[in-house]
Amino acid sequence: MSLIVQKFGGSSVADADGIKRVAQRVVDTQSAGHQVVVVVSAMGDSTDELLDLAAQVSPAASDAREMDMLLSAGERISMALLAMAIHGIGASAQSFTGSQAGMITDAIHGKARIIDVSPHRIRTAIEKGDVAIVAGFQGMSRDSNDITTLGRGGSDTTAVALAAALDADVCEIYTDVDGVYTADPRVVASAQKIDTISSEEMLEMAASGAKILHLRCVEYARRFGVPLHVRSSFSHNEGTWVLPSPDDQIKIQEGEPLEQPIISGVAHDRSEAKVTVVGVPDIPGKAAEIFGIVAGANTNIDMIVQNVSTHGSASTDISFTLPIVDLPDALAALGEAQERVGYESVEYNEKIGKLSLIGAGMRSNPGVSYRFFRALSDAGVNIDMISTSEIRISVVTGAELLDTAVRAVHAAFELDGETTATVYAGTGR
Amino acid sequence: MSLIVQKFGGSSVADADGIKRVAQRVVDTQSAGHQVVVVVSAMGDSTDELLDLAAQVSPAASDAREMDMLLSAGERISMALLAMAIHGIGASAQSFTGSQAGMITDAIHGKARIIDVSPHRIRTAIEKGDVAIVAGFQGMSRDSNDITTLGRGGSDTTAVALAAALDADVCEIYTDVDGVYTADPRVVASAQKIDTISSEEMLEMAASGAKILHLRCVEYARRFGVPLHVRSSFSHNEGTWVLPSPDDQIKIQEGEPLEQPIISGVAHDRSEAKVTVVGVPDIPGKAAEIFGIVAGANTNIDMIVQNVSTHGSASTDISFTLPIVDLPDALAALGEAQERVGYESVEYNEKIGKLSLIGAGMRSNPGVSYRFFRALSDAGVNIDMISTSEIRISVVTGAELLDTAVRAVHAAFELDGETTATVYAGTGR
């Protein structure tokens, strides 16, 4: 008997039919001899409807505690309905709020971090033979006993955190696609579903723009050694296993000779902008000063490039990328500090794209960079910035060339499949 | 500085505009120098929408724990929105779930009883100068820590229970009418608003079909000495004060010579049916046996009449009234027991009406009964059953004569006013 945590997003429980379909799936899993814990998001558009009401009653207020109270109602509705639907087909289930499930967080409303998970009520319920249904996305702050929400990727994180605390055998993330693909199928029609991927690679994929799993959920799963299985709620096909260690990978593949694929996939991201601070005095400490200013504006810097000063010049240029949404704050902060820092000007570009090639196998394959840059060059793609990790190469290009670049790289590493992938939409909370 | 508990029903917070209007009213009360605790119901039709969803996912299930989880989401939404609306006009407020507000109940889902109220978080909030907003209708069971709902009249009861626990100066029940009337203005156009009424009389009014306050809320207020003020959320007029003791009544009327009015009002009720068990053996214990059978079917018997056996007859008839909704269960239970009890037949009538005259002053006014029955007789109203308490006379008539009877009695006791009352609709939770 395994203990399985199943997470269903808002699109899977968008209406009564969806809830009944999920109920059947959950009961089937239990009937196959497993203990089942289910994590649900709010129904379909219900979060947007609540946000809309909030905007109507108080256009200006940013009222994080009350917003959490409001939004957490969404999951209570979906989980209670799911419990009823499960009862309706003759199985037993109990639903639990975040606080009843022991999801203890800090008090940062709207983006709380989990600090402890004490799922004793969940354990009691599943040992009794019930399906335990838990509200995703929400918890209770340890200090104030207030309801908190976990922010983006919150329901996935709830599922992984519960799986870790319960020592579950697997955390299944149900979504509207079959799994993780070698590239976004909307851009590369021949992209293939990945059967297994290491959590290290999945982290790089998520950080590089792959939207199927949130970075935070993958980080949590990796840290606590939770195997993830990303799969479709509309089929019974195997999805993508995200495995925290090579040992698990071997275990899953059951004795097949494990040949690590060199490359797992290609991710891309259109959500960043590039900023260049021109004419920065070439004195030690100036880069730190600039990044201190930008960080002070609560922005997340991603890639950084500093041009080496040309011989004899007293100044240099510093470029970095950051989310487009953070651009106005960053520009304002830099503008205020111009005199103090002594730079000449700031340039920025929102029309950029980032392409990343990810694969744990590139560590030991010296030819990867060559093949990568050769493919881009052959496709006529100009490169603006480069950054690398041990298992990733990322480049910034003009936004208009991004799709071409993704297809070229995907083909160069022989990732193209025979079949055409199903095109998918974005995922919810 | 007074401490005021204000309760707003679902129709007062049915949409964003309603919520903003309530917010302004609450802030006005606070600005006038009072501490304010607000109890809210779910928005307008939202409860019905949730019930509808529940029926869709599981048509047959009667799933009390999950139903409570589901329905309790409604108040969370309205209270969080109200807090935001209050912030939007520059005041500070915090919302609290039933469990956060310390509403501890038994574990009878769907109609939980309050067993303890520990509103320490509410006290802290109002002492800090915040408006405290509490979800009506819900609590947490002491034994299981599960979310419970209080059933009909639940939000009013939440408000009164909090007012009692906080030793509030008054509990204001906001509704869509101006207060309690001497009769239902839909039936008696000249009905007048009652300025003050004792909780003893209000109890009789509520038990006799007046829908403005739920019996349970009045009972609670009476028991804990909480003054109620029933008033309209659409005007600033004084409504009806429901006062637990004559001392309060004197206090409110500020030294005016207190002349207790003989009659407070006329209530009526169309929701009951009459059952007659014909030919019951006239042996001691048979009545008890019959009422035991009916009570075993979980029905609420109201009035009872047993005809005295005519001389020489060995059997008698027993009549009683009960809510129409309980009729099928009662008939089934009686049918099963016919042989054992040994009665001849059962007759029932759903087309009855009950009229009640209520007034603490009738205790010391021997002429009241005469005037009452005289008025009915003059109006040609035939009487089917009679029951009385110290401060109430009730009769059952044919449903078709009920309105005539109400008007006749209202006029006979000189309750008719000069003005025409506003017609009102039913109230929510």
Side-chain angles (χ1 to χ4, degrees), chain A residues 63 66 76 87 95 121 146, chain B residues 63 66 76 87 95 121:
Chain A
D63 198 337
E66 300 302 330
R76 293 164 80 99
H87 296 177
S95 69
R121 292 191 68 174
D146 281 329
Chain B
D63 199 339
E66 299 303 331
R76 293 165 81 99
H87 295 178
S95 69
R121 293 191 67 176

Side-chain angles (χ1 to χ4, degrees), chain A residues 101-337:
Chain A
M103 303 295 299
I104 308 301
T105 72
D106 61 23
I108 303 168
H109 288 288
K111 45 184 173 179
R113 309 292 302 189
I114 296 168
I115 52 181
D116 192 21
V117 183
S118 320
H120 52 92
R121 292 191 68 174
I122 307 304
R123 227 176 245 122
T124 307
I126 56 177
E127 273 160 19
K128 196 183 133 209
D130 287 356
V131 172
I133 305 169
V134 178
F137 184 66
Q138 61 181 250
M140 189 176 72
S141 72
R142 181 166 54 189
D143 298 333
S144 63
N145 285 348
D146 281 329
I147 283 114
T148 53
T149 66
L150 306 180
R152 293 209 57 194
S155 288
D156 288 0
T157 307
T158 300
V160 172
L162 271 174
L166 294 165
D167 198 20
D169 295 275
V170 57
C171 179
E172 296 183 340
I173 306 286
Y174 284 88
T175 175
D176 42 11
V177 282
D178 280 342
V180 183
Y181 276 76
T182 50
D184 183 340
R186 282 171 302 189
V187 173
V188 184
S190 58
Q192 300 174 84
K193 194 191 73 191
I194 300 170
D195 292 331
T196 65
I197 186 171
S198 69
S199 55
E200 191 185 14
E201 289 163 299
M202 193 65 229
L203 267 184
E204 293 279 11
M205 293 279 277
S208 303
K211 297 205 171 50
I212 189 160
L213 280 181
H214 200 270
L215 188 57
R216 185 172 172 191
C217 148
V218 185
E219 273 172 348
Y220 207 110
R222 186 177 185 213
R223 186 154 159 216
F224 290 94
V226 178
L228 298 176
H229 186 187
V230 183
R231 57 195 306 195
S232 166
S233 61
F234 297 96
S235 81
H236 281 77
N237 301 338
E238 285 276 301
T240 300
W241 286 83
V242 182
L243 298 168
S245 78
D247 290 352
D248 289 313
Q249 222 152 343
I250 291 163
K251 197 172 68 191
I252 293 294
Q253 297 188 345
E254 281 176 2
E256 277 182 33
L258 178 72
E259 186 151 17
Q260 172 87 48
I262 297 174
I263 295 302
S264 285
V266 182
H268 72 269
D269 192 350
R270 291 178 204 279
S271 69
E272 296 194 344
K274 178 185 161 187
V275 175
T276 302
V277 187
V278 179
V280 180
D282 196 7
I283 312 169
K286 278 295 167 192
E289 196 175 343
I290 285 172
F291 293 120
I293 288 160
V294 176
N298 255 321
T299 61
N300 274 314
I301 293 172
D302 179 19
M303 292 167 72
I304 296 174
V305 174
Q306 177 169 6
N307 298 342
V308 181
S309 329
T310 43
H311 188 71
S313 162
S315 72
T316 182
D317 298 344
I318 295 176
S319 295
F320 58 91
T321 65
L322 81 177
I324 290 175
V325 291
D326 291 346
L327 185 61
D329 287 347
L331 293 177
L334 284 170
E336 275 175 26

